[in-house]
Short mmCIF file of all heavy atoms in Angstrom, two decimals:
data_model
loop_
_atom_site.label_atom_id
_atom_site.label_comp_id
_atom_site.label_asym_id
_atom_site.label_seq_id
_atom_site.Cartn_x
_atom_site.Cartn_y
_atom_site.Cartn_z
N ALA A 1 0.83 -1.19 0.00
CA ALA A 1 0.00 0.00 0.00
C ALA A 1 0.87 1.25 0.00
O ALA A 1 0.47 2.26 -0.52
CB ALA A 1 -0.95 -0.01 1.19
N TRP A 2 2.05 1.20 0.62
CA TRP A 2 2.91 2.38 0.68
C TRP A 2 3.31 2.84 -0.72
O TRP A 2 3.28 4.01 -1.02
CB TRP A 2 4.14 2.09 1.52
CG TRP A 2 5.13 3.20 1.57
CD1 TRP A 2 6.39 3.16 1.08
CD2 TRP A 2 4.96 4.51 2.10
NE1 TRP A 2 7.01 4.35 1.28
CE2 TRP A 2 6.15 5.21 1.90
CE3 TRP A 2 3.92 5.17 2.71
CZ2 TRP A 2 6.32 6.52 2.30
CZ3 TRP A 2 4.10 6.47 3.12
CH2 TRP A 2 5.28 7.12 2.91
N VAL A 3 3.67 1.89 -1.59
CA VAL A 3 4.03 2.25 -2.96
C VAL A 3 2.83 2.87 -3.65
O VAL A 3 2.96 3.86 -4.36
CB VAL A 3 4.54 1.01 -3.74
CG1 VAL A 3 4.73 1.34 -5.21
CG2 VAL A 3 5.84 0.51 -3.14
N GLY A 4 1.65 2.31 -3.44
CA GLY A 4 0.44 2.87 -4.03
C GLY A 4 0.19 4.28 -3.56
O GLY A 4 -0.27 5.13 -4.32
N PHE A 5 0.52 4.56 -2.31
CA PHE A 5 0.37 5.92 -1.79
C PHE A 5 1.27 6.88 -2.54
O PHE A 5 0.86 7.94 -2.95
CB PHE A 5 0.70 5.95 -0.30
CG PHE A 5 0.66 7.33 0.29
CD1 PHE A 5 -0.54 7.92 0.61
CD2 PHE A 5 1.83 8.03 0.51
CE1 PHE A 5 -0.59 9.18 1.16
CE2 PHE A 5 1.80 9.29 1.05
CZ PHE A 5 0.59 9.87 1.37
N LEU A 6 2.52 6.47 -2.74
CA LEU A 6 3.45 7.35 -3.45
C LEU A 6 3.03 7.56 -4.90
O LEU A 6 3.11 8.67 -5.41
CB LEU A 6 4.87 6.77 -3.40
CG LEU A 6 5.52 6.76 -2.03
CD1 LEU A 6 6.87 6.04 -2.10
CD2 LEU A 6 5.69 8.16 -1.49
N ILE A 7 2.57 6.51 -5.54
CA ILE A 7 2.14 6.62 -6.92
C ILE A 7 0.87 7.46 -7.00
O ILE A 7 0.72 8.28 -7.91
CB ILE A 7 1.90 5.23 -7.54
CG1 ILE A 7 3.24 4.50 -7.67
CG2 ILE A 7 1.21 5.34 -8.89
CD1 ILE A 7 3.12 3.05 -8.04
N GLY A 8 -0.03 7.29 -6.05
CA GLY A 8 -1.29 8.01 -6.08
C GLY A 8 -1.19 9.47 -5.68
O GLY A 8 -2.08 10.26 -5.93
N GLN A 9 -0.12 9.85 -5.05
CA GLN A 9 0.05 11.21 -4.58
C GLN A 9 0.18 12.17 -5.76
O GLN A 9 0.94 11.93 -6.67
CB GLN A 9 1.31 11.31 -3.71
CG GLN A 9 1.43 12.59 -2.97
CD GLN A 9 1.02 12.45 -1.53
OE1 GLN A 9 0.84 11.35 -1.06
NE2 GLN A 9 0.87 13.54 -0.85
N ARG A 10 -0.57 13.23 -5.73
CA ARG A 10 -0.49 14.23 -6.80
C ARG A 10 -0.28 15.59 -6.17
O ARG A 10 -1.07 16.02 -5.35
CB ARG A 10 -1.80 14.23 -7.59
CG ARG A 10 -2.02 12.96 -8.33
CD ARG A 10 -3.25 13.10 -9.20
NE ARG A 10 -3.62 11.78 -9.64
CZ ARG A 10 -4.71 11.15 -9.26
NH1 ARG A 10 -5.56 11.72 -8.45
NH2 ARG A 10 -4.96 9.95 -9.71
N TYR A 11 0.78 16.25 -6.58
CA TYR A 11 1.08 17.57 -6.04
C TYR A 11 0.67 18.65 -7.02
O TYR A 11 0.62 18.44 -8.21
CB TYR A 11 2.58 17.69 -5.74
CG TYR A 11 3.00 16.76 -4.66
CD1 TYR A 11 3.56 15.53 -4.95
CD2 TYR A 11 2.80 17.08 -3.33
CE1 TYR A 11 3.93 14.66 -3.95
CE2 TYR A 11 3.16 16.21 -2.32
CZ TYR A 11 3.73 15.01 -2.64
OH TYR A 11 4.09 14.16 -1.64
N GLY A 12 0.40 19.84 -6.46
CA GLY A 12 0.10 20.98 -7.30
C GLY A 12 -1.35 21.05 -7.74
O GLY A 12 -1.72 21.92 -8.50
N GLN A 13 -2.19 20.16 -7.25
CA GLN A 13 -3.61 20.23 -7.57
C GLN A 13 -4.34 20.81 -6.36
O GLN A 13 -4.02 20.50 -5.23
CB GLN A 13 -4.18 18.84 -7.86
CG GLN A 13 -3.62 18.22 -9.10
CD GLN A 13 -4.26 16.86 -9.38
OE1 GLN A 13 -4.93 16.31 -8.53
NE2 GLN A 13 -4.03 16.36 -10.55
N LEU A 14 -5.32 21.61 -6.64
CA LEU A 14 -6.13 22.14 -5.56
C LEU A 14 -7.44 21.38 -5.52
O LEU A 14 -8.13 21.28 -6.52
CB LEU A 14 -6.40 23.64 -5.75
CG LEU A 14 -5.18 24.52 -5.59
CD1 LEU A 14 -5.57 25.97 -5.84
CD2 LEU A 14 -4.58 24.38 -4.21
N GLY A 15 -7.75 20.85 -4.38
CA GLY A 15 -9.02 20.16 -4.19
C GLY A 15 -9.91 20.99 -3.29
O GLY A 15 -9.70 22.18 -3.13
N PRO A 16 -10.88 20.36 -2.66
CA PRO A 16 -11.78 21.07 -1.76
C PRO A 16 -11.02 21.78 -0.65
O PRO A 16 -10.02 21.28 -0.14
CB PRO A 16 -12.65 19.97 -1.18
CG PRO A 16 -12.55 18.84 -2.16
CD PRO A 16 -11.19 18.96 -2.77
N ALA A 17 -11.50 22.92 -0.27
CA ALA A 17 -10.98 23.69 0.87
C ALA A 17 -9.49 23.96 0.77
O ALA A 17 -8.80 24.03 1.76
CB ALA A 17 -11.31 22.96 2.17
N GLY A 18 -8.94 24.09 -0.43
CA GLY A 18 -7.54 24.46 -0.59
C GLY A 18 -6.56 23.36 -0.30
O GLY A 18 -5.40 23.62 -0.02
N SER A 19 -6.98 22.10 -0.34
CA SER A 19 -6.03 21.02 -0.11
C SER A 19 -4.97 21.05 -1.21
O SER A 19 -5.20 21.56 -2.29
CB SER A 19 -6.73 19.66 -0.09
OG SER A 19 -7.29 19.36 -1.33
N THR A 20 -3.81 20.51 -0.93
CA THR A 20 -2.71 20.61 -1.89
C THR A 20 -2.32 19.29 -2.51
O THR A 20 -1.49 19.26 -3.38
CB THR A 20 -1.47 21.22 -1.21
OG1 THR A 20 -1.12 20.42 -0.09
CG2 THR A 20 -1.73 22.65 -0.78
N SER A 21 -2.87 18.19 -2.05
CA SER A 21 -2.51 16.90 -2.63
C SER A 21 -3.66 15.93 -2.46
O SER A 21 -4.61 16.17 -1.71
CB SER A 21 -1.24 16.35 -1.99
OG SER A 21 -1.42 16.12 -0.62
N SER A 22 -3.56 14.84 -3.17
CA SER A 22 -4.57 13.78 -3.04
C SER A 22 -3.87 12.44 -3.09
O SER A 22 -2.71 12.34 -3.48
CB SER A 22 -5.61 13.89 -4.15
OG SER A 22 -5.02 13.66 -5.41
N VAL A 23 -4.59 11.42 -2.68
CA VAL A 23 -4.07 10.06 -2.68
C VAL A 23 -5.18 9.15 -3.20
O VAL A 23 -6.35 9.39 -2.95
CB VAL A 23 -3.59 9.65 -1.27
CG1 VAL A 23 -4.71 9.68 -0.26
CG2 VAL A 23 -2.95 8.28 -1.28
N THR A 24 -4.79 8.15 -3.96
CA THR A 24 -5.74 7.14 -4.42
C THR A 24 -5.70 5.97 -3.45
O THR A 24 -4.64 5.40 -3.19
CB THR A 24 -5.40 6.67 -5.85
OG1 THR A 24 -5.42 7.82 -6.72
CG2 THR A 24 -6.42 5.65 -6.34
N VAL A 25 -6.85 5.62 -2.90
CA VAL A 25 -6.96 4.53 -1.94
C VAL A 25 -6.60 3.22 -2.63
O VAL A 25 -7.10 2.92 -3.70
CB VAL A 25 -8.39 4.47 -1.36
CG1 VAL A 25 -8.52 3.28 -0.40
CG2 VAL A 25 -8.76 5.78 -0.67
N GLN A 26 -5.73 2.45 -1.99
CA GLN A 26 -5.33 1.14 -2.47
C GLN A 26 -6.07 0.06 -1.68
O GLN A 26 -6.52 0.30 -0.56
CB GLN A 26 -3.82 0.95 -2.30
CG GLN A 26 -2.98 1.98 -3.02
CD GLN A 26 -3.20 1.97 -4.52
OE1 GLN A 26 -3.11 0.94 -5.15
NE2 GLN A 26 -3.50 3.14 -5.09
N PHE A 27 -6.20 -1.13 -2.26
CA PHE A 27 -6.85 -2.23 -1.58
C PHE A 27 -6.22 -2.44 -0.21
O PHE A 27 -5.00 -2.50 -0.08
CB PHE A 27 -6.74 -3.52 -2.42
CG PHE A 27 -7.41 -4.69 -1.78
CD1 PHE A 27 -8.79 -4.82 -1.83
CD2 PHE A 27 -6.68 -5.64 -1.10
CE1 PHE A 27 -9.42 -5.90 -1.22
CE2 PHE A 27 -7.30 -6.72 -0.49
CZ PHE A 27 -8.67 -6.84 -0.55
N GLY A 28 -7.03 -2.52 0.82
CA GLY A 28 -6.55 -2.75 2.18
C GLY A 28 -6.24 -1.48 2.96
O GLY A 28 -5.96 -1.56 4.16
N ASP A 29 -6.25 -0.33 2.31
CA ASP A 29 -5.98 0.93 3.01
C ASP A 29 -7.10 1.25 4.00
O ASP A 29 -8.25 0.87 3.82
CB ASP A 29 -5.89 2.10 2.03
CG ASP A 29 -4.49 2.33 1.50
OD1 ASP A 29 -3.53 1.79 2.06
OD2 ASP A 29 -4.36 3.08 0.51
N THR A 30 -6.71 1.96 5.04
CA THR A 30 -7.66 2.52 6.00
C THR A 30 -7.36 4.00 6.12
O THR A 30 -6.26 4.46 5.77
CB THR A 30 -7.50 1.86 7.39
OG1 THR A 30 -6.18 2.16 7.89
CG2 THR A 30 -7.71 0.36 7.33
N LEU A 31 -8.33 4.76 6.63
CA LEU A 31 -8.06 6.18 6.86
C LEU A 31 -6.90 6.37 7.82
O LEU A 31 -6.08 7.27 7.65
CB LEU A 31 -9.30 6.87 7.43
CG LEU A 31 -10.38 7.24 6.43
CD1 LEU A 31 -11.57 7.88 7.14
CD2 LEU A 31 -9.85 8.18 5.37
N TRP A 32 -6.81 5.50 8.81
CA TRP A 32 -5.72 5.58 9.80
C TRP A 32 -4.37 5.42 9.11
O TRP A 32 -3.45 6.20 9.34
CB TRP A 32 -5.93 4.50 10.86
CG TRP A 32 -5.03 4.66 12.05
CD1 TRP A 32 -3.74 4.26 12.17
CD2 TRP A 32 -5.38 5.27 13.29
NE1 TRP A 32 -3.25 4.57 13.39
CE2 TRP A 32 -4.24 5.20 14.11
CE3 TRP A 32 -6.53 5.87 13.78
CZ2 TRP A 32 -4.23 5.71 15.41
CZ3 TRP A 32 -6.50 6.37 15.07
CH2 TRP A 32 -5.37 6.29 15.87
N ALA A 33 -4.24 4.41 8.25
CA ALA A 33 -2.97 4.16 7.56
C ALA A 33 -2.62 5.31 6.63
O ALA A 33 -1.47 5.74 6.54
CB ALA A 33 -3.04 2.85 6.78
N ILE A 34 -3.62 5.83 5.92
CA ILE A 34 -3.38 6.96 5.02
C ILE A 34 -2.94 8.18 5.82
O ILE A 34 -2.01 8.88 5.44
CB ILE A 34 -4.64 7.25 4.18
CG1 ILE A 34 -4.86 6.10 3.17
CG2 ILE A 34 -4.52 8.59 3.46
CD1 ILE A 34 -6.19 6.12 2.48
N ALA A 35 -3.58 8.41 6.96
CA ALA A 35 -3.21 9.54 7.82
C ALA A 35 -1.77 9.39 8.32
O ALA A 35 -1.00 10.36 8.33
CB ALA A 35 -4.17 9.64 8.99
N GLU A 36 -1.39 8.18 8.71
CA GLU A 36 -0.02 7.95 9.19
C GLU A 36 1.00 8.23 8.09
O GLU A 36 2.05 8.80 8.34
CB GLU A 36 0.14 6.52 9.69
CG GLU A 36 -0.51 6.28 11.03
CD GLU A 36 -0.34 4.85 11.52
OE1 GLU A 36 -0.32 3.91 10.68
OE2 GLU A 36 -0.24 4.67 12.75
N ARG A 37 0.71 7.81 6.87
CA ARG A 37 1.65 8.00 5.76
C ARG A 37 1.66 9.43 5.22
O ARG A 37 2.59 9.80 4.51
CB ARG A 37 1.30 7.04 4.62
CG ARG A 37 1.52 5.59 4.97
CD ARG A 37 1.41 4.71 3.76
NE ARG A 37 0.19 4.90 2.99
CZ ARG A 37 -0.86 4.07 2.98
NH1 ARG A 37 -0.84 2.98 3.72
NH2 ARG A 37 -1.90 4.32 2.23
N SER A 38 0.65 10.19 5.55
CA SER A 38 0.51 11.53 4.97
C SER A 38 1.59 12.50 5.42
O SER A 38 1.86 13.49 4.74
CB SER A 38 -0.86 12.12 5.32
OG SER A 38 -0.92 12.49 6.69
N GLY A 39 2.18 12.26 6.59
CA GLY A 39 3.18 13.18 7.11
C GLY A 39 2.58 14.41 7.77
O GLY A 39 3.31 15.31 8.18
N LEU A 40 1.26 14.46 7.89
CA LEU A 40 0.62 15.60 8.54
C LEU A 40 0.92 15.57 10.03
O LEU A 40 0.97 14.51 10.64
CB LEU A 40 -0.89 15.57 8.30
CG LEU A 40 -1.31 15.76 6.85
CD1 LEU A 40 -2.78 15.44 6.67
CD2 LEU A 40 -1.01 17.17 6.39
N LYS A 41 1.12 16.73 10.60
CA LYS A 41 1.48 16.85 12.02
C LYS A 41 0.22 16.80 12.89
O LYS A 41 -0.86 17.14 12.45
CB LYS A 41 2.20 18.17 12.25
CG LYS A 41 3.40 18.37 11.36
CD LYS A 41 4.65 18.01 12.08
CE LYS A 41 5.83 18.40 11.23
NZ LYS A 41 6.68 17.33 10.90
N GLY A 42 0.41 16.39 14.12
CA GLY A 42 -0.67 16.39 15.10
C GLY A 42 -1.08 14.99 15.50
O GLY A 42 -0.57 14.00 14.99
N ASP A 43 -2.01 14.94 16.43
CA ASP A 43 -2.55 13.67 16.91
C ASP A 43 -3.17 12.93 15.73
O ASP A 43 -3.95 13.50 14.97
CB ASP A 43 -3.60 13.96 17.98
CG ASP A 43 -4.13 12.71 18.65
OD1 ASP A 43 -4.72 11.86 17.93
OD2 ASP A 43 -3.96 12.57 19.87
N ILE A 44 -2.83 11.66 15.58
CA ILE A 44 -3.28 10.88 14.43
C ILE A 44 -4.81 10.84 14.35
O ILE A 44 -5.38 10.84 13.26
CB ILE A 44 -2.66 9.46 14.44
CG1 ILE A 44 -2.89 8.75 13.12
CG2 ILE A 44 -3.21 8.63 15.59
CD1 ILE A 44 -2.15 9.34 11.96
N ARG A 45 -5.48 10.84 15.49
CA ARG A 45 -6.95 10.85 15.49
C ARG A 45 -7.49 12.12 14.87
O ARG A 45 -8.49 12.09 14.14
CB ARG A 45 -7.48 10.66 16.91
CG ARG A 45 -7.15 9.27 17.49
CD ARG A 45 -7.41 9.23 18.95
NE ARG A 45 -6.44 10.13 19.61
CZ ARG A 45 -6.22 10.17 20.90
NH1 ARG A 45 -6.92 9.39 21.71
NH2 ARG A 45 -5.32 10.98 21.41
N ASP A 46 -6.83 13.24 15.13
CA ASP A 46 -7.25 14.51 14.54
C ASP A 46 -6.99 14.52 13.04
O ASP A 46 -7.79 15.04 12.26
CB ASP A 46 -6.52 15.68 15.20
CG ASP A 46 -6.92 15.86 16.65
OD1 ASP A 46 -8.04 15.47 17.02
OD2 ASP A 46 -6.10 16.40 17.41
N VAL A 47 -5.86 13.94 12.62
CA VAL A 47 -5.52 13.87 11.19
C VAL A 47 -6.57 13.02 10.46
O VAL A 47 -7.06 13.42 9.40
CB VAL A 47 -4.10 13.32 10.97
CG1 VAL A 47 -3.81 13.12 9.49
CG2 VAL A 47 -3.06 14.25 11.60
N VAL A 48 -6.92 11.87 11.03
CA VAL A 48 -7.96 11.02 10.44
C VAL A 48 -9.26 11.81 10.32
O VAL A 48 -9.92 11.80 9.28
CB VAL A 48 -8.17 9.74 11.27
CG1 VAL A 48 -9.43 9.00 10.83
CG2 VAL A 48 -6.95 8.83 11.17
N GLY A 49 -9.61 12.52 11.36
CA GLY A 49 -10.84 13.32 11.35
C GLY A 49 -10.83 14.41 10.29
O GLY A 49 -11.85 14.65 9.62
N ARG A 50 -9.68 15.07 10.13
CA ARG A 50 -9.58 16.14 9.11
C ARG A 50 -9.71 15.56 7.71
O ARG A 50 -10.37 16.16 6.85
CB ARG A 50 -8.27 16.90 9.28
CG ARG A 50 -8.24 17.71 10.55
CD ARG A 50 -7.05 18.63 10.67
NE ARG A 50 -5.92 18.30 9.84
CZ ARG A 50 -4.65 18.38 10.22
NH1 ARG A 50 -4.34 18.79 11.41
NH2 ARG A 50 -3.68 18.06 9.41
N ILE A 51 -9.07 14.42 7.45
CA ILE A 51 -9.17 13.79 6.12
C ILE A 51 -10.62 13.37 5.87
O ILE A 51 -11.16 13.61 4.79
CB ILE A 51 -8.22 12.58 6.01
CG1 ILE A 51 -6.76 13.05 6.04
CG2 ILE A 51 -8.50 11.80 4.72
CD1 ILE A 51 -5.74 11.92 6.15
N ALA A 52 -11.25 12.75 6.86
CA ALA A 52 -12.64 12.31 6.72
C ALA A 52 -13.56 13.51 6.45
O ALA A 52 -14.40 13.46 5.55
CB ALA A 52 -13.09 11.55 7.96
N GLN A 53 -13.39 14.57 7.21
CA GLN A 53 -14.24 15.75 7.05
C GLN A 53 -14.04 16.39 5.68
O GLN A 53 -15.01 16.74 4.99
CB GLN A 53 -13.94 16.77 8.15
CG GLN A 53 -14.82 18.00 8.06
CD GLN A 53 -14.53 18.97 9.20
OE1 GLN A 53 -13.45 18.93 9.80
NE2 GLN A 53 -15.47 19.83 9.48
N LEU A 54 -12.81 16.53 5.25
CA LEU A 54 -12.51 17.15 3.97
C LEU A 54 -13.14 16.38 2.81
O LEU A 54 -13.55 16.97 1.81
CB LEU A 54 -10.98 17.22 3.77
CG LEU A 54 -10.46 17.83 2.48
CD1 LEU A 54 -10.88 19.30 2.37
CD2 LEU A 54 -8.95 17.72 2.41
N ASN A 55 -13.24 15.07 2.95
CA ASN A 55 -13.75 14.22 1.87
C ASN A 55 -15.19 13.77 2.08
O ASN A 55 -15.71 12.98 1.29
CB ASN A 55 -12.83 13.00 1.72
CG ASN A 55 -11.49 13.39 1.17
OD1 ASN A 55 -11.34 13.59 -0.02
ND2 ASN A 55 -10.50 13.54 2.05
N GLY A 56 -15.85 14.26 3.14
CA GLY A 56 -17.24 13.91 3.40
C GLY A 56 -17.43 12.44 3.72
O GLY A 56 -18.44 11.85 3.38
N ILE A 57 -16.45 11.84 4.40
CA ILE A 57 -16.49 10.41 4.73
C ILE A 57 -17.11 10.23 6.11
O ILE A 57 -16.70 10.88 7.06
CB ILE A 57 -15.08 9.80 4.70
CG1 ILE A 57 -14.52 9.89 3.30
CG2 ILE A 57 -15.10 8.37 5.22
CD1 ILE A 57 -13.06 9.53 3.22
N LYS A 58 -18.06 9.31 6.18
CA LYS A 58 -18.68 8.98 7.46
C LYS A 58 -18.34 7.54 7.79
O LYS A 58 -18.32 6.68 6.93
CB LYS A 58 -20.18 9.17 7.38
CG LYS A 58 -20.52 10.61 7.12
CD LYS A 58 -21.99 10.86 7.14
CE LYS A 58 -22.11 12.30 6.88
NZ LYS A 58 -23.07 13.06 6.74
N ALA A 59 -18.05 7.28 9.04
CA ALA A 59 -17.78 5.93 9.55
C ALA A 59 -16.56 5.29 8.90
O ALA A 59 -16.43 4.08 8.88
CB ALA A 59 -19.00 5.04 9.39
N GLY A 60 -15.64 6.09 8.36
CA GLY A 60 -14.38 5.56 7.84
C GLY A 60 -14.51 4.69 6.62
O GLY A 60 -13.62 3.91 6.32
N GLN A 61 -15.60 4.77 5.89
CA GLN A 61 -15.81 3.91 4.74
C GLN A 61 -15.12 4.48 3.51
O GLN A 61 -15.50 5.53 3.00
CB GLN A 61 -17.30 3.74 4.47
CG GLN A 61 -18.00 3.04 5.61
CD GLN A 61 -19.49 2.91 5.35
OE1 GLN A 61 -20.03 3.48 4.43
NE2 GLN A 61 -20.15 2.15 6.20
N ILE A 62 -14.09 3.77 3.06
CA ILE A 62 -13.37 4.14 1.84
C ILE A 62 -13.24 2.89 0.97
O ILE A 62 -13.33 1.77 1.47
CB ILE A 62 -11.98 4.76 2.13
CG1 ILE A 62 -11.11 3.79 2.93
CG2 ILE A 62 -12.13 6.09 2.84
CD1 ILE A 62 -9.68 4.28 3.13
N GLU A 63 -13.04 3.11 -0.33
CA GLU A 63 -12.93 1.99 -1.27
C GLU A 63 -11.68 2.15 -2.12
O GLU A 63 -11.28 3.27 -2.46
CB GLU A 63 -14.14 1.98 -2.20
CG GLU A 63 -15.45 1.75 -1.51
CD GLU A 63 -16.62 1.75 -2.47
OE1 GLU A 63 -16.39 1.75 -3.70
OE2 GLU A 63 -17.76 1.74 -2.00
N ALA A 64 -11.10 1.02 -2.50
CA ALA A 64 -9.94 1.04 -3.40
C ALA A 64 -10.33 1.79 -4.67
O ALA A 64 -11.43 1.64 -5.19
CB ALA A 64 -9.51 -0.38 -3.74
N GLY A 65 -9.42 2.65 -5.12
CA GLY A 65 -9.64 3.44 -6.32
C GLY A 65 -10.21 4.82 -6.03
O GLY A 65 -10.19 5.70 -6.89
N GLN A 66 -10.71 5.02 -4.82
CA GLN A 66 -11.28 6.31 -4.44
C GLN A 66 -10.16 7.34 -4.27
O GLN A 66 -9.10 7.03 -3.73
CB GLN A 66 -12.04 6.14 -3.12
CG GLN A 66 -12.70 7.37 -2.58
CD GLN A 66 -13.45 7.06 -1.28
OE1 GLN A 66 -13.52 5.92 -0.83
NE2 GLN A 66 -14.02 8.09 -0.70
N GLU A 67 -10.39 8.55 -4.73
CA GLU A 67 -9.40 9.62 -4.55
C GLU A 67 -9.78 10.41 -3.30
O GLU A 67 -10.91 10.84 -3.16
CB GLU A 67 -9.38 10.54 -5.77
CG GLU A 67 -8.35 11.63 -5.65
CD GLU A 67 -8.26 12.48 -6.89
OE1 GLU A 67 -9.25 12.56 -7.64
OE2 GLU A 67 -7.20 13.08 -7.11
N LEU A 68 -8.80 10.58 -2.41
CA LEU A 68 -9.01 11.37 -1.20
C LEU A 68 -8.12 12.60 -1.23
O LEU A 68 -6.94 12.50 -1.56
CB LEU A 68 -8.65 10.55 0.04
CG LEU A 68 -9.47 9.29 0.32
CD1 LEU A 68 -8.95 8.61 1.59
CD2 LEU A 68 -10.95 9.63 0.46
N TYR A 69 -8.68 13.73 -0.89
CA TYR A 69 -7.89 14.95 -0.73
C TYR A 69 -7.29 14.98 0.66
O TYR A 69 -7.92 14.54 1.62
CB TYR A 69 -8.76 16.18 -0.97
CG TYR A 69 -9.21 16.29 -2.40
CD1 TYR A 69 -10.51 15.96 -2.75
CD2 TYR A 69 -8.33 16.70 -3.38
CE1 TYR A 69 -10.92 16.05 -4.06
CE2 TYR A 69 -8.73 16.80 -4.70
CZ TYR A 69 -10.03 16.47 -5.03
OH TYR A 69 -10.43 16.56 -6.35
N LEU A 70 -6.07 15.48 0.75
CA LEU A 70 -5.38 15.61 2.03
C LEU A 70 -5.32 17.09 2.40
O LEU A 70 -5.05 17.93 1.54
CB LEU A 70 -3.97 15.04 1.94
CG LEU A 70 -3.88 13.56 1.54
CD1 LEU A 70 -2.42 13.15 1.42
CD2 LEU A 70 -4.61 12.69 2.54
N PRO A 71 -5.54 17.40 3.68
CA PRO A 71 -5.44 18.80 4.11
C PRO A 71 -4.03 19.32 3.91
O PRO A 71 -3.07 18.55 3.90
CB PRO A 71 -5.82 18.77 5.58
CG PRO A 71 -5.99 17.36 5.97
CD PRO A 71 -5.86 16.50 4.76
N ASN A 72 -3.90 20.62 3.74
CA ASN A 72 -2.57 21.19 3.46
C ASN A 72 -1.77 21.45 4.72
O ASN A 72 -0.65 21.91 4.64
CB ASN A 72 -2.69 22.45 2.61
CG ASN A 72 -3.53 23.52 3.24
OD1 ASN A 72 -4.02 23.36 4.36
ND2 ASN A 72 -3.74 24.61 2.55
N HIS A 73 -2.31 21.19 5.89
CA HIS A 73 -1.54 21.32 7.14
C HIS A 73 -2.10 20.45 8.21
O HIS A 73 -3.16 19.95 8.15
CB HIS A 73 -1.46 22.75 7.61
CG HIS A 73 -2.77 23.45 7.69
ND1 HIS A 73 -3.74 23.11 8.60
CD2 HIS A 73 -3.30 24.45 6.95
CE1 HIS A 73 -4.78 23.90 8.43
NE2 HIS A 73 -4.55 24.70 7.44
#
């Protein structure tokens, strides 16, 4: 999944709320794992919450192939 994260990462694109990058969910990914790999600072629970909120995700439901925007800080 880590390689998929690197391949899926896109820089220089603006998504919702001024996000600066996105990631394509790989099979087996979780919001927690994506948050850990994102490099975003802060409590991991807060990072998961920010990613979920930015993408309108409820109950942590994500699917392989889905594009998620990452907050810019």
Side-chain angles (χ1 to χ4, degrees):
W2 176 245
V3 172
F5 176 79
L6 292 175
I7 292 170
Q9 191 101 12
R10 294 186 194 112
Y11 294 97
Q13 294 182 348
L14 292 178
S19 65
T20 57
S21 62
S22 65
V23 60
T24 302
V25 177
Q26 302 299 308
F27 181 77
D29 271 346
T30 63
L31 280 178
W32 191 278
I34 291 169
E36 286 180 326
R37 293 190 308 255
S38 72
L40 294 169
K41 306 262 188 238
D43 186 298
I44 192 68
R45 294 168 293 192
D46 294 333
V47 175
V48 168
R50 291 188 340 220
I51 293 171
Q53 182 178 21
L54 180 63
N55 291 280
I57 297 170
K58 297 185 180 178
Q61 296 178 350
I62 58 174
E63 297 180 9
Q66 180 179 358
E67 182 176 25
L68 297 179
Y69 293 103
L70 301 177
N72 58 3
H73 51 68

